[in-house]
Amino acid sequence: MKNGALSKLYILGILLFLYTPIFVLMLMSFNESRYNTLPFVFSLKWYEALKDNTTLMTAMNNSLYIAFVTGICCVILGTLFVLGSQVISGKWKGLFSSMMVMPLSIPWLIMGLSLLLMIRAFQMDKNMFFVFAGHIIISLPYSVLVLQARIQALDSALDEASASLGANALTTFRRITLPMLAPAMVAGGFLSFMMSFDNFVISYFLIPAGITTLPIEIQSSIKFGFTPEINAVSTLIIGISLVCLAVVGAIMGSSLKSIFNGGKA
Amino acid sequence: LSGCGVKSTSDTDQNGEKQKLYVVNWKDYGSDDADFIAAFEEANNCEIVNTYMSSEEELLTKLRTAKDGEIDVCLPNCSILPAAIEEGLLKEVDSSKLENFEKMFDRFKEQPECIKDGKLYAVPFVWGSTAIAYNTNLIKEAPTSINALFDPQYAGKITFRDDYNDAVMTAALVTGQDANNPKDMDAIKAKLLEQKKLNKTYWKTGDEFSKLFASEQISIGMMWSGQAAFMKQEGQPIAYVVPEDGAIGWVDNWGIAKGSQNEELAYKFIDWMISRDFQYNWAVNGGPAPVNQEAADSLDPEYAAGAGMDETSLNRLTFMQYRTDEVKQTWNELWTEVKSSK
Amino acid sequence: MANVAIKNLTKQFGDLTVLDQLNLEIPDGTLVSLLGSSGCGKTTTLRLIAGFEQANEGEIYIGEERINDIPVHKRNIGMVFQSYALFPHMTVWQNVAYGLEQRKLGKDEIKKKVDAILNLVKLSDYGMRKPKQLSGGQQQRVALARALVTEPSVLLLDECLSALDKKLRVEMQVELRGILEKTGITTLFVTHDQEEAMTLSDWIVVMNRGRVEQMGKPYEVYEHPKNSFVAGFLGKVNFFEGRVVEADKNTVTLEMSCGTSQLNVNEVSEAGKDAVYAIRPEKLHVKKLEAKDESATQLRNELGLIGTVQFITYSGNLSTYTIDCNGKTVLAEVQNQGKPEEIKVGDKVHLSWESTSCMRMEEQK
Amino acid sequence: MANVAIKNLTKQFGDLTVLDQLNLEIPDGTLVSLLGSSGCGKTTTLRLIAGFEQANEGEIYIGEERINDIPVHKRNIGMVFQSYALFPHMTVWQNVAYGLEQRKLGKDEIKKKVDAILNLVKLSDYGMRKPKQLSGGQQQRVALARALVTEPSVLLLDECLSALDKKLRVEMQVELRGILEKTGITTLFVTHDQEEAMTLSDWIVVMNRGRVEQMGKPYEVYEHPKNSFVAGFLGKVNFFEGRVVEADKNTVTLEMSCGTSQLNVNEVSEAGKDAVYAIRPEKLHVKKLEAKDESATQLRNELGLIGTVQFITYSGNLSTYTIDCNGKTVLAEVQNQGKPEEIKVGDKVHLSWESTSCMRMEEQK
Amino acid sequence: MNNYKKWLTAPGTLTLLVFAVAPLFIMLFYSFRNDSGVGFTLQNYVRFFEKSFYLKLTGRTVISSLTVTVISLLISYPLAYIMAKKLKGIRNIVLMLIIIPFFTNQLVRVYSWLIFLQDGGVLEEMLNVLGMAQDGLGILYTRTAVVISLVHIFFPYMVITIYIALERIDNALLEASKSLGASAVTTFFRVTLPMSWSGVVSGILLVFVPCLGCFVEPRILGGVDGMFIGNVIEDQFFEIYGWNFGAAIAFLLFAMVLVAMALIHRMGGEKQ
Ligand SMILES: Nc1ncnc2c1ncn2[C@@H]1O[C@H](COP(=O)(O)OP(=O)(O)OP(=O)(O)O)[C@@H](O)[C@H]1O
Ligand SMILES: Nc1ncnc2c1ncn2[C@@H]1O[C@H](COP(=O)(O)OP(=O)(O)OP(=O)(O)O)[C@@H](O)[C@H]1O
Ligand SMILES: [Mg+2]
Ligand SMILES: [Mg+2]
């Protein structure tokens, strides 16, 4: 029993550490001071200011848009990839199952810079195409991992059962494979979406001037005047993510864990 | 792909006859402020289409790759101007077509990097300085020398800017060298290393400085004129000085792109941008310092002094000049070495 | 409902020949069990018939039609997988209706058929459940219903009972048999449980290394196995292997490594040849030799073997005697009929049998 | 090597009482099987003895020592898990040496002992392999070796054979028995396979709902089950349940729902009381009633039952007759001894048995 | 029969090749380019190794990253262990709580640390309230602050990988160990730890690699001595447009990542 209490205390300590900055951030969104200085004076003015802050709202819209496109692309590419790699066997199998995870082990700094160099090598202007490409590359592994875990758990006998009942390949895909992959597609898409939504480094390197995303806006507001509006918007995002997480968590269940599994079954 | 909800509003304009002027500029840097340019657009029945750049380097790439008519006017500074002129990316500017050219401070009429072989290629637009800001509550006596940033009496309460150019130039000023062409790099390194010990931290972004300042973690530091003025308006106990022994200045210039199909309008635009009205309005609304002497003279002297926009300050500045890649690398390396040594 | 014929079927995976010129004929409307040790190619045979794999050589016919090149979904087969392979995202009802929908039947007809088959497998009340909410036995019945409802020409069952525990398994065997009798579909059933095969099927096919060793009625295969592989695979058996010294009407004298014995057999072999005979343990009559009998030459001269009981394994309904006959270990099984036990470890016993019980094995060299 | 005694052991998980005042005595050096349906508390009993769980009440002794409060690693037990629980990151040799290392033996001694035990389980050549590289049977032997090498006082085996397929399982039973006889360690063996329990163990303990129903030698428990739970759990059985109308020496007349019958029994019950009798299928003598016999009252008057054969299930060594006796279904098992079959489906048969075979059940109310 | 299916991998593979692999090669190409833009040169690499402070900075980056990794490990292992083996009921809630912060912007979290740690900030105020008055904590603008924020950002990844590895260990193995006479401590070191090693290894990778490449946190929290090698690369690209030299350093960093991964995998290989 004593042992259990000690364990819980330890967990509490860690969670405290984990949540300290988040609490501070939320706290400061209700603080009067523009410079996040103490003493604390309660105020909702930063939330009110948020309403009129079109820059931040545009940035938010852009982030949502980029993340949405990225999420969709990742789900499509990931699903196709995972379905295809299912039939690959022999010496290629290992390569194909670990290939998509590779970008996870490259620091974003390097990923972003190398793409930037690529743009430069082709004498191009920065453009949205490369922003999407960069976002997709770093978000794709998450979709693939979730989908891979799911498809490994799928019994190949299901496809055969469907065929034996008279369904052709297309019907089997539409009525069996797709519905069964759907939760993983939602989960993987959501993760890729979040990864892209939150990404600063890649956008920072690749985004064309004049277009801004929320992380970039946050970074540039750190540059030109960080007002607690950022705290307010972050607090709102946390709230919304929590809701999404609850919804997605319910759909994807245990595949959540497989994400961080490095693809090892 | 280019959508993203950020397209400029121009596309939706129904009046197709309007002339369009394509401008490459920083975001929020005058040419995209609806209030300021409305009058110009009205007067010339045109529309200004802004494209933004995120670095000078990027502007250079844009100029190199743009097709004819894609860019009319752009805003290069000293770091790329010589290259752009050398590569023939800019048209020669006929200053006689600019009514307001003559109203500029004299030094801006012959800004060295704007001129090549006696021909003018760019027109100065605004300028600013990087000097000293301090907390008037904590420091009663205004510092008079740039050396204040190296003064042990403020040890632990100083913040220096994390920028190789500012660092080397400032140290050059302190060691009595030509800030644009320092010779004794070892002395500069030694000075900066000495300074490092007195520092609370290096600041990189304006916000960092204001936070450090507001929470009184520092009492004095290297600062930009514009931000200092802004903070003062905010009610911070801040004062900005361009010390007698000088500080660093910079200037942004308008140029006309080689492929411009709208030269006439471009001249009108530049003329408008350096007009007294525009420059005055922008300056009092938190913009950088005007090159237009009339505009500068119209400013409240106290405000101008506090923002380092007055002529006295202007005359103390050493303006940044074009540097070759090699010099940049050397300076940057020196600065990296300073930062990374313990 | 049609007979299935397999002709010279060969299947290779890379270098491995899994099926080797397999020939098999499955009569219309019967239940045929495919038996054999692990890896002998049972599943492969099924998968070839279903069309999940392509044969390297040979032909497969359902009825009169050669189906080698017909894709799976047009073969009109039904299959029940070991794991059942129920679609987890569909209800029981949807699972069963799936095959009918593929055949583009009308809604009403589908409903009628699904209801009827669910009724047959006694799951009418479970239509709205998801597979996860069913027990193993119920899942198994859903899988069966799903395969049966489309009225396939052939039903393929791959170890579909082996995931169940013993008790449930026996129950399901009975139900399966009942349902198949009602529908009369030609069925091929893969198992590696010989008892299951024996009790369930009309015909048994014993496979070994990609070939058919023997096909016959259960009784036939058990009582008249062709060779020692089949004999040993189905049930327990005592082998007698040696050179025939003398052959008489129904008796041979066999010279074995452990000595020479005269055996009462179903079929004699030519003298001078090697031969293998086999007797199943339950066919042996065990009789205790009293001290007085031992001296009596009468019994000694009777045909049969004499040995000493080494140990007795009691397993409830049966006892197995391990008997040492002159260095050869012979097993004998005796039903425990409730009479007082008279034979004990160490006793001398006399073993006899009907001549028909001692089976000569055809051995391939 | 010591006897194990369990006294009034009670174990609850939350509200669920899993063991309920359990008493059990395991004699030194014997192999005792714990049998019972799923969830009856077999594993829990083992885990309590091992010390993985703490009892709510009661005592556990190994030898003379009360071990309730001794931590697992000091109890000197050996355990073989159903999943074997071999350490996957260690070689076979390291797995086996692990327990000895904990006992701080010298290197040489460890080597000697490990080599010896690997020899015993015939795995001397496999020492350097990882568990993954072994077959199921080999893994099982490693698990056994690992448990035995430390010479534990008690060996606990939890369904350690049930992951194996039938053939391998029988082989392993024989090996296990041999090894345990050699080492003579007191062993508690959990299984739910009754045949396995019967052939393997010195004593059988039948558990039900956290209590011991009966403990005895295999023969005793099978032939003289105390109640219908034990009788039904071990082997097949026909129950006769009804009210005793008349009781004579070795015969009772039982009024059952399907009619009244006179039964030859081992122990009579008082007239007027309810009673349950049980006969195992193999104890029944099945005799065909020829047409002429039917009219002969002689046989009719003999004790026993008369019925009609409904179907015959052939399973090789045995045939099971399902016989309808006046509405009551009775199973009879007959050994196929190789004589020509004379009884067919539809035949009238007479069933008789030794009076000792019809067992009266003690029923708790 | 399924042969056509393998082509479904093409779009994903192509994306990866074009937008992840090819750029790396382009980066490699740039790193051998002359500043004048023509010819092949080693000068960028030579320059890096000539100046001792680049190496020193790299060394310090590696040490800081290792510190972050070790601290994360020390925090994460016990937590993951408790979650996997001790907690039953609230395990999933704790897991959720650990994942949730992933969904808050990293920059904002870094910024919150700044507010929290600064002199006169929340932490100091809290300590004051608790009576442990202390003026000028002096934590902010040091490497310590950077390490704290990096640990904060990355340790949850490690918790999850280790947790998954631990959860997969069959409890019967731990019981088997005890039944063979091993105490709880021995069981931990001889069974639990080696068997969760794969999780530890992935965890180390997921923490160490991104730390090597970080540049935002050091700049915001690191003060005068907080610089990481990532900052040098960023400067090269965004301040002075020394693309070639920048590419060379970035490539060296990438090589370090590869070496680290190889080493760590080797470590994993031995234990398994
Ligand atoms: N797809 C495949 N690729 C390569 N070899 C295969 C494949 N499928 C089966 N085999 C091999 O073919 C042989 C026969 O396999 P099959 O599954 O038919 O055996 P089985 O009789 O069903 O055995 P079991 O009783 O174990 O299920 C085995 O040696 C197996 O390893
Ligand atoms: N840790 C536990 N917490 C709660 N209930 C448990 C726990 N362990 C076992 N039980 C319950 O105790 C009862 C007995 O379990 P036990 O494992 O002893 O059964 P068993 O006889 O071994 O059954 P089986 O033959 O299925 O292995 C079961 O109802 C089980 O659900
Ligand atoms: Mg098979
Ligand atoms: Mg159990």
Side-chain angles (χ1 to χ4, degrees), chain E residues 9 17 23 28 33 39 42 50 53 58 78 83 93 97 114 120 135 137 159 162 176 180 182 189 206 230 237 270:
Chain E
T9 56
L17 288 178
L28 184 65
R33 249 174 51 133
L42 280 175
E50 250 176 14
F53 60 89
T58 311
M83 282 165 61
I93 298 172
L97 283 175
L114 186 117
D135 273 340
L137 288 169
V159 173
I162 298 176
L180 289 167
F189 281 104
L206 283 180
F237 276 86
E270 273 167 15

Side-chain angles (χ1 to χ4, degrees), chain C residues 66-127:
Chain C
R66 181 176 180 281
I67 58 162
N68 286 46
D69 302 320
I70 297 181
V72 183
H73 64 279
K74 295 197 176 140
R75 289 197 182 189
N76 196 26
I77 47 143
M79 180 138 184
V80 178
F81 296 80
Q82 177 167 355
S83 57
Y84 308 144
L86 297 179
F87 307 130
H89 58 298
M90 300 184 186
T91 61
V92 167
W93 208 94
Q94 288 167 334
N95 261 284
V96 176
Y98 188 84
L100 296 175
E101 285 163 15
Q102 303 315 318
R103 283 163 180 76
K104 309 254 181 310
L105 298 192
K107 274 204 174 164
D108 293 344
E109 202 175 350
I110 290 182
K111 183 161 167 33
K112 217 175 63 195
K113 289 199 177 204
V114 173
D115 287 344
I117 201 91
L118 283 182
N119 202 26
L120 183 69
V121 298
K122 298 180 206 137
L123 284 175
S124 302
D125 296 342
Y126 294 82

Side-chain angles (χ1 to χ4, degrees), chain A residues 34-35 62 209 222-223 226, chain B residues 4 52 205-207 234 236:
Chain A
R34 134 171 229 112
Y35 296 101
N62 289 344
I222 291 178
K223 216 165 183 163
F226 190 106
Chain B
C4 209
Y52 299 112
T205 68
D207 184 59
E234 287 262 301
Q236 295 284 330

Side-chain angles (χ1 to χ4, degrees), chain A residues 223, chain B residues 130 159-171 188 192 195 199 201-205 222 224 248 250 320 323 328 331-336 338-339, chain E residues 219 227 235 238-241:
Chain A
K223 216 165 183 163
Chain B
T130 308
T159 184
F160 205 74
R161 183 163 183 231
D162 180 7
D163 181 279
Y164 73 94
N165 188 65
D166 290 357
V168 172
M169 284 182 78
T170 309
I188 288 173
L192 288 172
Q195 198 281 334
N199 235 357
T201 181
Y202 295 119
W203 62 270
K204 185 99 181 176
T205 68
M222 192 190 280
W224 296 316
I248 307 158
W250 49 263
M320 253 186 261
R323 303 187 209 302
K328 279 195 233 168
W331 287 21
N332 181 263
E333 204 149 69
L334 184 146
W335 180 231
T336 306
V338 168
K339 281 193 293 177
Chain E
R219 211 192 56 209
M227 199 178 192
D235 275 356
F238 288 93
E239 297 279 332
I240 51 174
Y241 312 108

